[in-house]
Amino acid sequence: MKTKLVFATNNLNKIKEVQSMLPNSIEIMSLESIGCLEDIPETANTIEGNAIQKANYVTEKYGYDCFADDTGLEVEALHGEPGVDSAHYAGPQRNAADNMDKLLKNLDNQANRNAQFKTVIALNLNGKQHLFTGIAEGKITLEKMGNQGFGYDPIFQPIGFTETFAELTLEQKGQISHRGKATKQLIDFLSYEH
């Protein structure tokens, strides 16, 4: 019997990425597929808080077991910016190119380009909540490179690689990415539970 879990997103890139890592016994449903068409509030001031807020919203309003993730890019020289504001760093239009341009401009003449992506997944399952955190360390490049991935991928170079996330295949990225690590913890947990 398949376990149906709602992934609290309509980002089909994320759904595809996560579904590709899950056993066949678990079926991921999008928000749209359960009829949740409204914007879920993300008003917490931490990445963890936003993930919890989104998962709880779906469970409370729609009654489904659910997991939600929130991700932020934390840049050392910018005291953790853009962090919880990563998606709308350059404004409410949530445009990845604008966000990258703003970040690169803010890092002009900055020698320290260390950064990390942090993903937190909040899982509501059978009345209990579980949190999984994945971190990918790396640095911000001087320019955009590659056309795979999404978000800040073209300017994030993970430690141990000469390529950016946007130059790696989905499989390569999945093994080392923040979301990949958090998702692996989620999958290990779900596989153990089933």
Side-chain angles (χ1 to χ4, degrees):
M1 188 173 117
K2 280 202 170 200
T3 299
K4 286 184 188 269
L5 262 181
V6 174
F7 184 0
T9 184
N10 278 318
N11 182 328
L12 297 179
N13 285 317
K14 283 187 187 180
I15 291 173
K16 194 168 96 183
E17 204 173 302
V18 170
Q19 184 73 66
S20 74
M21 295 187 256
L22 281 169
N24 289 334
S25 58
I26 297 167
E27 183 191 339
I28 299 291
M29 298 186 300
S30 70
L31 289 172
E32 190 178 1
S33 69
I34 63 163
C36 176
L37 304 175
E38 66 268 30
D39 279 338
I40 297 177
E42 294 180 55
T43 54
N45 57 3
T46 63
I47 292 167
E48 291 85 351
N50 276 342
I52 290 167
Q53 189 177 22
K54 288 191 274 189
N56 287 352
Y57 185 93
V58 171
T59 301
E60 288 161 16
K61 287 237 191 300
Y62 293 89
Y64 284 95
D65 282 338
C66 171
F67 66 95
D69 77 326
D70 197 40
T71 295
L73 175 63
E74 300 173 331
V75 180
E76 207 172 272
L78 300 177
H79 312 291
E81 275 187 20
V84 77
D85 296 320
S86 292
H88 45 85
Y89 189 46
Q93 72 276 22
R94 292 175 171 254
N95 181 289
D98 294 349
N99 289 338
M100 286 187 280
D101 291 343
K102 178 176 179 180
L103 184 61
L104 290 172
K105 189 172 183 325
N106 287 348
L107 282 175
D108 265 358
N109 307 318
Q110 183 59 252
N112 175 2
R113 299 185 80 85
N114 293 341
Q116 67 175 25
F117 268 119
K118 177 179 176 182
T119 292
V120 177
I121 296 176
L123 168 69
N124 289 345
L125 184 65
N126 303 328
K128 292 200 177 83
Q129 188 166 76
H130 310 272
L131 294 180
F132 308 95
T133 302
I135 288 179
E137 295 182 347
K139 66 180 188 184
I140 303 300
T141 55
L142 294 170
E143 59 186 11
K144 300 172 195 167
M145 292 180 286
N147 54 12
Q148 305 293 315
F150 54 96
Y152 293 90
D153 288 357
I155 60 169
F156 184 81
Q157 183 181 2
I159 285 179
F161 285 78
T162 54
E163 302 88 359
T164 66
F165 268 170
E167 296 175 294
L168 300 176
T169 66
L170 202 58
E171 291 70 32
Q172 288 173 311
K173 182 185 167 193
Q175 288 172 359
I176 60 163
S177 79
H178 45 296
R179 187 172 297 104
K181 290 175 183 174
T183 304
K184 185 177 182 332
Q185 295 169 36
L186 172 75
I187 290 162
D188 289 348
F189 178 82
L190 289 171
S191 303
Y192 180 77
E193 291 286 294
H194 288 273

